[in-house]
Amino acid sequence: MTAAHPAPLFILSFRQRDELASLAAGAGWQVVAARRAGGAERRFLSSGAAVAVIDARGAPEDGLGATTMLSGAVEANGGAMLVLVSRGEVGTISALFEAGATHFLASPFSEAEFLQALRFAARHAERMAREWAAGPVFTALGWRYDLAAKALVLTPGLMALLAMDREPGVRDVLRRLEPGDRAAALAALRRMSPARPATAFAHDAEGIGRIVQHLQWDVDRQRIDAVVEPLGSAPEPAAELREALAGARDAGSARRWLARQLESPSEIPLHTMLVALNRFDMVNTAYGRAAGDALLRSAQKRIDDVVREMLGRDGLIARMSGSTFVVAARAPRLRIDLALARIAGELARPFVTGESIAVLGCRIGLAQAQEGDTAATLLRRASEALAEARESDSATMRVADADGDGAPIDRLAVELNQAMDRGEIGILFQPQVSVSSGEIIGVEALARWEHRALGTIGAETLFAAAARADLDIGLSDHIQKLVLAQAAAWPASLGGLRLSLNLTAGDIARPGFADLFLDRVDSSGFPRARLTLEITESGLIEDLGIASSLLSVLRGAGCRIAIDDFGTGYSSLAYLKALPLDYLKIDKKLAQDITGSPRDRVVVRGVIDMARSLGLTVIAEGVENEAQLEALAAEGCQIYQGFLCSEAVSVAALVALVTG
């Protein structure tokens, strides 16, 4: 801060706003002061301040609420938060620290003490800014033991990595080690002396991998300092330390990722999005911290699935602070909008919290990188947009510097008819594998839109655009013709595969659809006996009787019937009783839960047992690793599809998989 360029400072004081503002302004700060918490997050971001002052004196509950409100914006922008407390309320400091405060000052205090506290907070913010630009460094991992006081203190980074929510005792830490590693740790401590002040030992840590602890005895201060070096925490030495709680990158590495992207210009725009869960504090309060942590992991997994599918594997996902995540990627704006719409939809689905259901939802702030942006300015603009979304009664998303374009699905809907005429709608095939033999025995046909500007658009977004354009039936007819024509022309090596084709709700409701469809199959030359028709629960709710009649005709004509995405709807049991089914496909989210808690496994086991007792073949979707496959096989699942075998591929790639 200089006289020519006063640093901005944000002050929120419920009772002494003007007095504090006058003190800071007299010392050269450019003050933005508020008396009410409403809109404080947006005002802090708009001020450009790196330091926020929360005056909680005489109003501890209001101060805690304001600290919680501002913590995400302060953390995301690498700032500092100074909280003023009364002498009689110092017991609230622990709660304020947990909420995001970085500095404290207890009253009564002098003008000089207040200004000195501001300078300390400003230096902290400056250090944070330097760390952002310092390049790839690991979050500080270490601990310190005071020999005289017998007190152990862990760095915040190590506590996060070990998923600890309080300072542990020595015995707590030693209990986490295997007996052999515990002996090695004690031996290393015994080796240390004034004559031999440094040593090290290595051990394994659950969920982290191999680590080395470097110990040093500080003779003058009578304490032991340790630096913890994780050897197995990342796939390669240069990889960022992943944030322990949610499995995402940490905030510091996210900022450095953004900085590197901004230093490497590209024609593809860089977008940054802050995604904040709604009502998360209520879950923490009602069900406890363990439930809140589990919910954060589930939320991150849902975000990660959408980003991987719609933005590719090069996108960034990080947990910034509290219940706020950052997503960043280079992609056209329309694709970003579609991804955000999917993220909002996924986070609006209920979460299971112990014995209860929690419905959260989210708010999203989006900013596109501009010329001259730094990681800090880009995140600040995304934070401002998020603050506006939070203040809105209805809007889930706000865009920094919004250009007023229409909704993304509307823009795709306008283009869809021409896209079909231009041949941009294509078909890929995802293998279905026998669990017992490991052989590919069938495929599911999946539609893709190769958009000229956005690249590949998946079936869910494609059909959403068709619904908006009132092209549901036209798109379904188009896809059925493409699938049957390609499958009828398969080479002999694919001659034994079953083909699964999806029917839509519009198909089921169409008068005369059975005859129309069977004529289409016969005209293509593909045998009915190798065709499976998949229907989703959402496509049947309107009229179960009509659906049952239609499917009975198609099944009687030689086709087989599968119910898709089982476990996501509300009337699943009614469908099993009423419909002529051959296959039950377990929804991928349900199938992937089988390696979760014992409760998750019981649910999946119940679905499989019920299906098999009804004579249905069970297919699990979304199987991604051997652990999931082994668990599903143990419960009696007969067929699987997912990335463990292959993603959806072209006919040529499918031939290579089958014959390879």
Side-chain angles (χ1 to χ4, degrees):
M1 178 175 64
T2 67
H5 300 285
L9 174 70
F10 178 77
I11 297 176
L12 173 59
S13 176
F14 303 101
R15 295 173 178 166
Q16 300 185 49
R17 178 193 64 180
D18 295 340
E19 293 88 336
L20 292 175
S22 297
L23 288 177
W29 296 87
Q30 182 179 353
V31 179
V32 173
R35 184 175 283 122
R36 291 185 295 273
E41 183 182 20
R42 175 180 49 77
R43 294 188 65 184
F44 165 71
L45 292 164
S46 300
S47 73
V51 177
V53 177
I54 306 295
D55 184 3
R57 293 175 294 172
E61 292 185 3
D62 290 338
L64 181 60
T67 301
T68 302
M69 180 197 307
L70 285 179
S71 62
V74 171
E75 167 67 19
N77 292 284
M81 193 186 313
L82 169 64
V83 179
L84 311 181
V85 297
S86 300
R87 291 283 183 194
E89 297 164 352
V90 292
T92 64
I93 286 180
S94 176
L96 290 164
F97 178 77
E98 287 289 332
T102 60
H103 296 74
F104 300 92
L105 181 62
S107 67
F109 49 77
S110 66
E111 176 181 343
E113 288 171 329
F114 174 60
L115 296 177
Q116 186 64 27
L118 288 181
R119 284 191 283 271
F120 284 144
R123 287 175 188 170
H124 171 86
E126 290 170 2
R127 284 196 300 272
M128 290 290 293
R130 287 195 297 270
E131 288 177 7
W132 289 9
V137 297
F138 288 114
T139 301
L141 302 178
W143 52 267
R144 174 177 297 160
Y145 183 69
D146 188 314
L147 294 167
K150 293 183 169 42
L152 177 66
V153 178
L154 276 61
T155 64
L158 184 57
M159 287 188 67
L161 197 62
L162 297 177
M164 290 182 168
D165 57 6
R166 60 178 179 82
E167 289 287 358
V170 174
R171 290 182 180 177
D172 294 329
V173 174
L174 289 175
R175 274 196 218 101
R176 286 174 168 256
L177 302 179
E178 295 295 327
D181 293 334
R182 192 180 308 147
L186 293 172
L189 291 169
R190 294 190 189 103
R191 286 196 299 271
M192 301 183 71
S193 68
R196 187 178 182 181
T199 188
F201 70 99
H203 64 92
D204 292 322
E206 184 178 354
I208 303 172
R210 194 71 175 165
I211 67 176
V212 178
Q213 302 212 28
H214 303 272
L215 313 182
Q216 185 163 334
W217 189 345
D218 189 325
V219 178
D220 295 333
R221 294 184 176 88
Q222 281 298 290
R223 74 186 190 202
I224 296 174
D225 293 310
V227 174
V228 176
E229 179 186 11
L231 301 181
S233 62
E236 65 272 347
E240 293 88 345
L241 186 67
R242 294 184 66 82
E243 204 259 1
L245 178 60
R249 294 174 187 260
D250 60 18
S253 60
R255 297 184 189 104
R256 291 188 289 275
W257 186 93
L258 289 172
R260 290 194 297 273
Q261 292 293 319
L262 291 167
E263 291 168 0
S264 305
S266 170
E267 293 183 359
I268 304 174
L270 174 64
H271 291 88
T272 299
M273 302 139 268
L274 289 175
V275 182
L277 298 180
N278 299 337
R279 298 181 288 278
F280 174 73
D281 291 340
M282 294 172 59
V283 174
N284 254 356
T285 302
Y287 301 108
R289 180 133 184 195
D293 290 351
L295 189 150
L296 286 175
R297 285 190 288 269
S298 297
Q300 190 272 330
K301 177 65 165 58
R302 294 186 188 184
I303 297 171
D304 186 75
D305 287 345
V306 174
V307 171
R308 183 171 64 175
E309 177 185 341
M310 302 197 69
L311 301 177
R313 296 178 181 271
D314 294 330
L316 167 80
I317 306 170
R319 180 170 171 264
M320 297 299 287
S321 65
S323 57
T324 300
F325 297 86
V326 62
V327 175
R330 287 196 178 277
R333 169 62 188 280
L334 182 54
R335 178 166 283 277
I336 293 292
D337 287 345
L338 293 168
L340 289 186
R342 281 282 302 281
I343 288 173
E346 289 296 312
L347 296 180
R349 292 192 301 107
F351 290 86
V352 177
T353 306
E355 300 291 331
S356 303
I357 300 294
V359 180
L360 300 183
C362 68
R363 291 288 189 267
I364 301 173
L366 169 65
Q368 179 176 324
Q370 300 174 350
E371 186 175 353
D373 259 339
T374 64
T377 58
L378 181 56
L379 281 168
R380 181 172 287 272
R381 289 194 294 108
S383 298
E384 291 171 352
L386 175 60
E388 291 180 7
R390 279 174 162 160
E391 291 179 10
S392 169
D393 291 333
S394 58
T396 297
M397 185 178 77
R398 282 284 188 260
V399 182
D401 308 316
D403 57 11
D405 285 348
I409 289 294
D410 289 341
R411 300 200 292 273
L412 285 181
V414 171
E415 302 177 38
L416 180 56
N417 207 12
Q418 291 183 336
M420 288 191 285
D421 292 340
R422 289 193 295 260
E424 294 178 4
I425 309 301
I427 305 298
L428 296 177
F429 300 92
Q430 185 168 41
Q432 296 176 332
V433 185
S434 167
V435 171
S436 59
S437 68
E439 295 181 359
I440 297 174
I441 59 175
V443 294
E444 179 182 1
L446 299 170
R448 296 290 186 266
W449 181 356
E450 294 301 327
H451 195 280
R452 292 174 297 172
L454 300 177
T456 303
I457 293 174
E460 184 172 343
T461 304
L462 172 58
F463 276 95
R468 189 65 57 90
D470 199 22
L471 287 172
D472 314 57
I473 293 176
L475 177 63
S476 185
D477 283 346
H478 185 75
I479 290 172
Q480 289 169 19
K481 293 173 184 176
L482 288 176
V483 170
L484 292 168
Q486 288 193 33
W490 278 349
S493 58
L494 304 183
L497 298 186
R498 292 199 64 82
L499 171 66
S500 290
L501 175 63
N502 290 277
L503 299 184
T504 68
D507 291 327
I508 292 171
R510 292 163 68 182
F513 174 73
D515 292 337
L516 174 68
F517 179 76
L518 292 172
D519 285 345
R520 183 172 293 155
V521 174
D522 294 341
S523 298
S524 73
F526 191 84
R528 297 180 182 181
R530 284 170 47 206
L531 184 61
T532 298
L533 304 177
E534 296 191 8
I535 42 103
T536 61
E537 296 182 33
S538 60
L540 299 171
I541 291 175
E542 290 296 328
D543 194 322
L544 196 55
I546 291 177
S548 179
S549 298
L550 169 69
L551 297 177
S552 295
V553 171
L554 294 174
R555 192 167 184 262
C559 302
R560 291 292 173 260
I561 308 298
I563 186 167
D564 195 11
D565 295 337
F566 186 84
T568 61
Y570 299 95
S571 306
S572 304
L573 296 179
Y575 296 153
L576 294 185
K577 289 168 55 179
L579 301 178
L581 301 174
D582 299 283
Y583 299 93
L584 182 148
K585 298 188 71 176
I586 301 176
D587 175 68
K588 67 178 181 180
K589 297 180 179 64
L590 191 62
Q592 290 169 357
D593 282 345
I594 196 163
T595 53
S597 69
R599 185 183 181 88
D600 293 327
R601 186 157 184 162
V602 168
V603 172
V604 180
R605 178 186 301 151
V607 170
I608 294 175
D609 287 346
M610 179 174 57
R612 297 195 66 180
S613 68
L614 293 172
L616 306 182
T617 299
V618 180
I619 304 173
E621 296 184 281
V623 179
E624 297 183 348
N625 55 57
E626 290 288 350
Q628 292 170 355
L629 178 59
E630 290 176 7
L632 288 163
E635 300 301 343
C637 180
Q638 296 127 304
I639 301 172
Y640 80 90
Q641 67 184 82
F643 287 116
L644 179 60
C645 173
S646 172
E647 61 185 347
V649 296
S650 65
V651 173
L654 179 62
V655 170
L657 283 171
V658 171
T659 60

